[in-house]
Amino acid sequence: QVQLVESGGGLVQPGGSLRLSCVGSGSISLMGWYRQAPGNQRELVATMTTGGSTNYAGAVKGRFTISRDNAKNSVYLQMSSLKPDDTAVYYCYAVARNLRQYWGQGTQVTVDS
């Protein structure tokens, strides 16, 4: 059973930066981040394979950077030039090597002055 624990959310001013972290346990293949803003469905932010292949949502491309530490079973999201539209609950996501999907509990990111 894969367990995912997120950290790093909080309140930040527009134009600021935050770094989200997620530490997993178990045998994980794909890791990434999704987000859900008020009134919206959960949407992809970024994913990364164990081999380093990445996928970004167009809304965050160029501002957010996903990275992984495979040895630590961790994934990170460096968020820069944050906008109010980035306000959402951010969820860590993982696909285990048995192809089962897992979610973290989510961490709130609020971009506001």
Side-chain angles (χ1 to χ4, degrees):
Q1 183 76 17
V2 170
Q3 302 287 110
L4 302 172
V5 180
E6 302 116 322
S7 63
L11 175 65
V12 64
Q13 292 184 333
S17 299
L18 281 175
R19 183 177 176 88
L20 305 183
S21 299
C22 175
V23 180
S25 62
S27 184
I28 296 172
S29 181
L30 183 77
M31 296 191 80
W33 296 91
Y34 285 68
R35 68 185 183 186
Q36 187 168 13
N40 295 131
Q41 296 297 112
R42 193 172 298 182
E43 64 181 8
L44 170 76
V45 177
T47 59
M48 179 177 274
T49 67
T50 54
S53 179
T54 60
N55 184 37
Y56 291 92
V60 308
K61 198 169 186 177
R63 299 188 297 118
F64 292 9
T65 301
I66 189 170
S67 60
R68 288 182 68 166
D69 186 333
N70 291 332
K72 296 180 179 179
N73 233 11
S74 300
V75 64
Y76 310 92
L77 187 68
Q78 178 65 48
M79 304 183 292
S80 300
S81 301
L82 283 161
K83 305 174 181 179
D85 285 349
D86 296 318
T87 296
V89 177
Y90 284 71
Y91 295 90
C92 186
Y93 169 76
V95 179
R97 289 195 170 91
N98 64 7
L99 302 184
R100 291 185 177 183
Q101 300 177 63
Y102 299 88
W103 297 94
Q105 292 186 353
T107 184
Q108 176 71 45
V109 172
T110 301
V111 184
D112 190 16
S113 59

